[in-house]
Amino acid sequence: MGLSSTDSFDESPSKNAQDVRPDHQECLKILNLVLDEEAGPKEQEYFKKHIENCMPYYEIYNVDKAIKDLIRQKCYDKEVPSDLVDQIKSKVFQGAEE
Amino acid sequence: MSETRRQSYSQMEKEKTFEKEFLPHIDSMYNFAYRLTFDEDDAKDLVQDTYLKAYRFIESFEKGTNAKAWLFRILKNSFINDFRKKSKQPSKVDYQEVETFYNSEDVDQSITTDLRIETVQDMIGDEISNALNSLDVDFRTVIILCDLEGFKYDEMAKILDIPIGTVRSRLHRARNLLKERLSDYAKKMGYKN
Protein backbone atom coordinates (compact mmCIF):
# COMPACT_ATOMS: atom_id res chain seq x y z
CA MET A 1 0.00 0.00 0.00
CA GLY A 2 2.92 2.37 0.49
CA LEU A 3 4.27 3.94 -2.60
CA SER A 4 6.89 1.48 -3.61
CA SER A 5 8.49 4.28 -5.47
CA THR A 6 11.73 4.07 -7.31
CA ASP A 7 12.91 7.01 -5.35
CA SER A 8 15.44 5.91 -2.88
CA PHE A 9 14.65 7.69 0.30
CA ASP A 10 17.28 5.89 2.20
CA GLU A 11 17.72 8.24 5.05
CA SER A 12 17.11 5.84 7.87
CA PRO A 13 13.37 5.46 7.89
CA SER A 14 13.16 6.52 11.47
CA LYS A 15 10.60 8.66 13.19
CA ASN A 16 13.16 11.32 13.76
CA ALA A 17 14.42 12.10 10.35
CA GLN A 18 15.20 15.61 11.46
CA ASP A 19 17.17 16.37 8.33
CA VAL A 20 14.05 15.86 6.28
CA ARG A 21 11.78 17.41 8.85
CA PRO A 22 8.44 16.89 7.19
CA ASP A 23 6.58 20.06 7.77
CA HIS A 24 2.86 19.46 7.93
CA GLN A 25 1.93 23.04 7.21
CA GLU A 26 4.19 23.13 4.20
CA CYS A 27 2.67 19.88 3.07
CA LEU A 28 -0.82 21.15 3.53
CA LYS A 29 -0.09 24.02 1.21
CA ILE A 30 1.25 21.62 -1.33
CA LEU A 31 -1.46 18.98 -0.97
CA ASN A 32 -4.04 20.89 -2.95
CA LEU A 33 -1.44 21.96 -5.50
CA VAL A 34 -0.53 18.35 -6.11
CA LEU A 35 -4.17 17.31 -6.19
CA ASP A 36 -5.00 20.00 -8.74
CA GLU A 37 -1.88 19.49 -10.81
CA GLU A 38 -0.64 22.95 -10.00
CA ALA A 39 2.53 21.89 -8.19
CA GLY A 40 5.96 22.28 -9.69
CA PRO A 41 8.39 19.33 -9.87
CA LYS A 42 10.11 20.34 -6.63
CA GLU A 43 6.87 20.58 -4.72
CA GLN A 44 5.69 17.27 -6.10
CA GLU A 45 8.90 15.63 -5.02
CA TYR A 46 8.69 17.12 -1.54
CA PHE A 47 5.12 15.99 -1.17
CA LYS A 48 5.78 12.52 -2.47
CA LYS A 49 8.56 12.02 0.01
CA HIS A 50 6.43 13.31 2.82
CA ILE A 51 3.52 10.99 2.20
CA GLU A 52 5.79 8.01 1.92
CA ASN A 53 6.60 8.55 5.56
CA CYS A 54 3.41 10.01 6.87
CA MET A 55 0.35 7.84 7.06
CA PRO A 56 -2.13 10.62 7.96
CA TYR A 57 -1.11 12.61 4.91
CA TYR A 58 -1.11 9.56 2.72
CA GLU A 59 -4.69 8.94 3.82
CA ILE A 60 -5.79 12.53 3.46
CA TYR A 61 -4.34 12.86 0.00
CA ASN A 62 -6.02 9.68 -1.17
CA VAL A 63 -9.36 10.59 0.35
CA ASP A 64 -9.18 14.02 -1.28
CA LYS A 65 -8.28 12.47 -4.58
CA ALA A 66 -11.14 9.96 -4.33
CA ILE A 67 -13.58 12.80 -3.63
CA LYS A 68 -12.26 14.84 -6.52
CA ASP A 69 -12.64 11.87 -8.85
CA LEU A 70 -16.11 11.16 -7.54
CA ILE A 71 -17.22 14.73 -8.15
CA ARG A 72 -16.05 14.51 -11.72
CA GLN A 73 -17.85 11.22 -12.26
CA LYS A 74 -21.10 11.99 -10.48
CA CYS A 75 -21.87 15.68 -10.53
CA TYR A 76 -22.22 16.19 -14.24
CA ASP A 77 -25.79 15.19 -14.16
CA LYS A 78 -27.91 17.82 -15.83
CA GLU A 79 -28.99 17.23 -19.37
CA VAL A 80 -29.27 20.39 -21.42
CA PRO A 81 -32.89 20.89 -22.46
CA SER A 82 -33.15 19.83 -26.08
CA ASP A 83 -34.62 23.11 -27.26
CA LEU A 84 -32.15 25.40 -25.56
CA VAL A 85 -29.55 25.60 -28.31
CA ASP A 86 -32.17 26.44 -30.90
CA GLN A 87 -33.76 29.03 -28.66
CA ILE A 88 -30.42 30.67 -28.10
CA LYS A 89 -29.54 30.63 -31.76
CA SER A 90 -32.83 32.11 -32.86
CA LYS A 91 -32.54 34.88 -30.27
CA VAL A 92 -28.93 35.61 -31.03
CA PHE A 93 -29.20 35.55 -34.77
CA GLN A 94 -32.71 36.99 -34.66
CA GLY A 95 -34.12 34.59 -37.12
CA ALA A 96 -31.35 35.26 -39.59
CA GLU A 97 -30.85 31.55 -39.78
CA GLU A 98 -33.37 28.97 -40.79
CA MET B 1 -11.18 38.49 -20.52
CA SER B 2 -11.16 42.14 -19.57
CA GLU B 3 -12.05 45.27 -21.44
CA THR B 4 -8.86 44.94 -23.34
CA ARG B 5 -8.33 45.37 -27.02
CA ARG B 6 -11.52 45.16 -28.95
CA GLN B 7 -11.40 42.66 -31.73
CA SER B 8 -12.95 43.33 -35.03
CA TYR B 9 -15.20 40.63 -36.33
CA SER B 10 -17.16 40.47 -39.52
CA GLN B 11 -20.73 39.28 -39.18
CA MET B 12 -19.71 35.92 -40.54
CA GLU B 13 -16.82 35.61 -38.09
CA LYS B 14 -19.10 36.48 -35.23
CA GLU B 15 -21.46 33.72 -36.11
CA LYS B 16 -18.67 31.27 -36.69
CA THR B 17 -17.00 32.11 -33.39
CA PHE B 18 -20.31 31.79 -31.62
CA GLU B 19 -21.02 28.39 -33.12
CA LYS B 20 -17.53 26.94 -32.93
CA GLU B 21 -16.13 28.50 -29.77
CA PHE B 22 -19.09 29.28 -27.55
CA LEU B 23 -21.87 26.78 -28.16
CA PRO B 24 -19.79 23.65 -27.53
CA HIS B 25 -19.63 24.66 -23.85
CA ILE B 26 -23.36 24.63 -23.35
CA ASP B 27 -23.37 21.37 -21.35
CA SER B 28 -20.89 22.69 -18.83
CA MET B 29 -22.68 26.02 -18.69
CA TYR B 30 -26.08 24.48 -18.06
CA ASN B 31 -24.70 22.15 -15.42
CA PHE B 32 -23.01 25.07 -13.67
CA ALA B 33 -26.12 27.24 -13.93
CA TYR B 34 -28.26 24.49 -12.45
CA ARG B 35 -25.87 23.99 -9.55
CA LEU B 36 -26.05 27.70 -8.85
CA THR B 37 -29.81 28.13 -9.08
CA PHE B 38 -31.21 24.64 -8.40
CA ASP B 39 -34.00 25.43 -10.80
CA GLU B 40 -34.26 24.24 -14.37
CA ASP B 41 -36.03 27.32 -15.69
CA ASP B 42 -33.64 29.67 -13.94
CA ALA B 43 -30.69 27.66 -15.22
CA LYS B 44 -32.06 27.90 -18.73
CA ASP B 45 -32.60 31.64 -18.45
CA LEU B 46 -29.15 32.12 -17.01
CA VAL B 47 -27.48 30.20 -19.82
CA GLN B 48 -29.52 31.97 -22.45
CA ASP B 49 -28.74 35.33 -20.93
CA THR B 50 -25.04 34.45 -20.85
CA TYR B 51 -25.01 33.54 -24.53
CA LEU B 52 -26.85 36.69 -25.51
CA LYS B 53 -24.31 38.78 -23.63
CA ALA B 54 -21.46 36.80 -25.09
CA TYR B 55 -22.68 37.54 -28.57
CA ARG B 56 -23.38 41.18 -27.85
CA PHE B 57 -19.91 41.69 -26.44
CA ILE B 58 -18.12 39.33 -28.74
CA GLU B 59 -15.65 42.04 -29.67
CA SER B 60 -14.29 41.90 -26.13
CA PHE B 61 -13.46 38.25 -26.63
CA GLU B 62 -9.89 37.82 -27.70
CA LYS B 63 -9.59 35.25 -30.40
CA GLY B 64 -7.46 32.33 -29.37
CA THR B 65 -8.07 32.78 -25.65
CA ASN B 66 -10.05 30.46 -23.42
CA ALA B 67 -13.67 30.83 -24.50
CA LYS B 68 -14.97 28.56 -21.77
CA ALA B 69 -13.40 30.66 -19.03
CA TRP B 70 -14.74 33.83 -20.63
CA LEU B 71 -18.26 32.39 -20.78
CA PHE B 72 -18.11 31.15 -17.21
CA ARG B 73 -17.11 34.60 -16.07
CA ILE B 74 -20.11 36.14 -17.81
CA LEU B 75 -22.39 33.49 -16.35
CA LYS B 76 -21.07 34.00 -12.85
CA ASN B 77 -21.52 37.77 -13.12
CA SER B 78 -25.04 37.38 -14.48
CA PHE B 79 -25.87 35.09 -11.63
CA ILE B 80 -24.61 37.57 -9.06
CA ASN B 81 -26.27 40.56 -10.66
CA ASP B 82 -29.56 39.11 -11.76
CA PHE B 83 -30.27 35.93 -9.87
CA ARG B 84 -28.66 36.19 -6.52
CA LYS B 85 -30.34 39.52 -5.93
CA LYS B 86 -33.71 37.94 -6.48
CA SER B 87 -32.99 35.00 -4.25
CA LYS B 88 -32.92 35.36 -0.53
CA GLN B 89 -29.61 33.69 -0.27
CA PRO B 90 -26.91 36.22 0.32
CA SER B 91 -23.38 35.03 0.17
CA LYS B 92 -22.29 33.79 3.53
CA VAL B 93 -18.66 33.57 2.68
CA ASP B 94 -16.46 35.54 4.95
CA TYR B 95 -14.50 37.74 2.61
CA GLN B 96 -11.88 38.24 5.26
CA GLU B 97 -10.41 34.94 4.20
CA VAL B 98 -6.77 35.43 3.42
CA GLU B 99 -3.76 33.49 2.44
CA THR B 100 -2.41 33.74 5.95
CA PHE B 101 -4.91 31.06 6.78
CA TYR B 102 -2.18 28.66 5.90
CA ASN B 103 0.00 30.06 8.62
CA SER B 104 -2.58 29.78 11.32
CA GLU B 105 -2.11 27.41 14.17
CA ASP B 106 -5.26 25.43 13.64
CA VAL B 107 -4.26 24.24 10.24
CA ASP B 108 -3.61 20.76 11.46
CA GLN B 109 -7.00 20.53 13.10
CA SER B 110 -8.61 21.53 9.86
CA ILE B 111 -7.15 18.61 8.00
CA THR B 112 -8.11 15.79 10.25
CA THR B 113 -10.71 13.71 8.62
CA ASP B 114 -12.20 10.46 9.70
CA LEU B 115 -13.30 9.66 6.19
CA ARG B 116 -11.86 6.50 4.75
CA ILE B 117 -11.08 5.98 1.11
CA GLU B 118 -13.28 2.90 1.07
CA THR B 119 -16.16 4.95 2.44
CA VAL B 120 -15.79 7.53 -0.29
CA GLN B 121 -15.54 4.89 -2.96
CA ASP B 122 -18.69 3.21 -1.67
CA MET B 123 -20.69 6.35 -2.23
CA ILE B 124 -22.89 6.06 -5.24
CA GLY B 125 -23.24 9.64 -6.31
CA ASP B 126 -26.22 11.18 -4.61
CA GLU B 127 -24.25 11.73 -1.43
CA ILE B 128 -21.53 13.67 -3.14
CA SER B 129 -23.99 15.65 -5.20
CA ASN B 130 -26.10 16.53 -2.17
CA ALA B 131 -23.05 17.42 -0.11
CA LEU B 132 -21.83 19.71 -2.86
CA ASN B 133 -25.24 21.34 -3.17
CA SER B 134 -25.37 21.96 0.56
CA LEU B 135 -22.33 24.23 0.50
CA ASP B 136 -22.68 28.00 0.34
CA VAL B 137 -22.66 29.18 -3.21
CA ASP B 138 -19.12 30.57 -3.17
CA PHE B 139 -17.66 27.35 -1.83
CA ARG B 140 -19.77 25.32 -4.21
CA THR B 141 -18.54 27.43 -7.09
CA VAL B 142 -14.82 26.88 -6.51
CA ILE B 143 -15.30 23.13 -6.29
CA ILE B 144 -17.34 23.08 -9.48
CA LEU B 145 -14.81 25.19 -11.35
CA CYS B 146 -11.82 23.22 -10.15
CA ASP B 147 -12.95 19.62 -9.77
CA LEU B 148 -15.79 19.39 -12.23
CA GLU B 149 -14.64 21.74 -14.96
CA GLY B 150 -10.91 21.43 -14.51
CA PHE B 151 -10.08 25.13 -14.54
CA LYS B 152 -6.61 26.08 -13.35
CA TYR B 153 -6.20 28.45 -10.40
CA ASP B 154 -5.29 31.42 -12.56
CA GLU B 155 -8.38 30.90 -14.71
CA MET B 156 -10.52 30.62 -11.60
CA ALA B 157 -9.07 33.85 -10.29
CA LYS B 158 -10.14 35.61 -13.48
CA ILE B 159 -13.57 34.03 -13.56
CA LEU B 160 -14.26 34.95 -9.94
CA ASP B 161 -12.37 38.26 -9.81
CA ILE B 162 -10.37 37.26 -6.79
CA PRO B 163 -6.64 36.81 -6.19
CA ILE B 164 -5.13 33.36 -6.64
CA GLY B 165 -4.35 33.18 -2.92
CA THR B 166 -8.05 33.57 -2.22
CA VAL B 167 -8.88 30.90 -4.77
CA ARG B 168 -6.58 28.53 -2.93
CA SER B 169 -7.80 29.28 0.56
CA ARG B 170 -11.44 29.20 -0.51
CA LEU B 171 -10.92 25.88 -2.25
CA HIS B 172 -9.23 24.49 0.83
CA ARG B 173 -12.10 25.54 3.05
CA ALA B 174 -14.67 24.30 0.58
CA ARG B 175 -13.06 20.88 0.50
CA ASN B 176 -12.95 20.65 4.25
CA LEU B 177 -16.61 21.58 4.48
CA LEU B 178 -17.45 18.99 1.85
CA LYS B 179 -15.55 16.34 3.79
CA GLU B 180 -17.42 17.27 6.96
CA ARG B 181 -20.74 16.82 5.18
CA LEU B 182 -19.67 13.51 3.70
CA SER B 183 -18.39 12.35 7.03
CA ASP B 184 -21.68 13.23 8.75
CA TYR B 185 -23.51 11.42 6.02
CA ALA B 186 -21.28 8.37 6.37
CA LYS B 187 -21.93 8.25 10.11
CA LYS B 188 -25.64 8.49 9.60
CA MET B 189 -25.62 5.72 7.07
CA GLY B 190 -23.48 3.50 9.23
CA TYR B 191 -20.64 3.46 6.77
CA LYS B 192 -18.12 3.78 9.53
CA ASN B 193 -15.57 1.15 10.09
Side-chain angles (χ1 to χ4, degrees), chain A residues 1 23-26 28-39 43 56-94 96-97, chain B residues 14-15 18-19 23 26-28 30-31 34-35 40 44 47-48 51-52 55 68 101-105 107-108 110-113 115-117 120-121 123-125 128-129 132 143 146-154 168 171-172 175 178-179 182:
Chain A
M1 133 163 138
D23 174 342
H24 284 319
Q25 287 204 6
E26 192 55 34
L28 176 69
K29 287 186 200 173
I30 297 174
L31 189 145
N32 279 328
L33 293 179
V34 173
L35 194 67
D36 299 329
E37 295 174 8
E38 296 264 357
E43 287 163 324
Y57 266 86
Y58 179 83
E59 286 267 317
I60 289 164
Y61 174 74
N62 282 290
V63 166
D64 282 2
K65 186 157 181 1
I67 292 173
K68 188 178 168 100
D69 292 344
L70 200 64
I71 288 170
R72 194 161 299 170
Q73 291 160 24
K74 306 286 186 184
C75 294
Y76 227 106
D77 48 4
K78 288 309 287 184
E79 287 276 311
V80 177
S82 53
D83 55 350
L84 185 57
V85 172
D86 288 339
Q87 277 180 18
I88 289 170
K89 278 190 189 174
S90 70
K91 281 208 172 161
V92 164
F93 303 138
Q94 295 178 320
E97 291 194 342
Chain B
K14 276 188 189 178
E15 293 186 14
F18 190 84
E19 293 258 4
L23 278 179
I26 194 158
D27 291 58
S28 295
Y30 184 74
N31 200 66
Y34 183 79
R35 287 207 179 261
E40 290 182 1
K44 224 172 145 174
V47 170
Q48 192 160 274
Y51 274 107
L52 290 173
Y55 190 70
K68 185 177 169 185
F101 163 78
Y102 286 110
N103 300 322
S104 68
E105 285 305 309
V107 148
D108 268 350
S110 72
I111 55 148
T112 51
T113 173
L115 269 177
R116 295 249 161 278
I117 297 165
V120 175
Q121 286 168 339
M123 293 185 170
I124 52 171
I128 196 96
S129 192
L132 179 60
I143 288 188
C146 185
D147 294 346
L148 204 51
E149 298 298 342
F151 284 112
K152 305 308 283 179
Y153 292 172
D154 61 339
R168 286 181 57 184
L171 191 55
H172 177 80
R175 283 181 172 150
L178 189 68
K179 280 193 278 192
L182 289 174

Side-chain angles (χ1 to χ4, degrees), chain A residues 92, chain B residues 6 14 18 22 48-60 70 74:
Chain A
V92 164
Chain B
R6 291 174 69 77
K14 276 188 189 178
F18 190 84
F22 295 175
Q48 192 160 274
D49 185 53
T50 301
Y51 274 107
L52 290 173
K53 282 180 185 156
Y55 190 70
R56 190 176 312 138
F57 298 109
I58 201 165
E59 280 159 2
S60 310
W70 191 71
I74 297 172

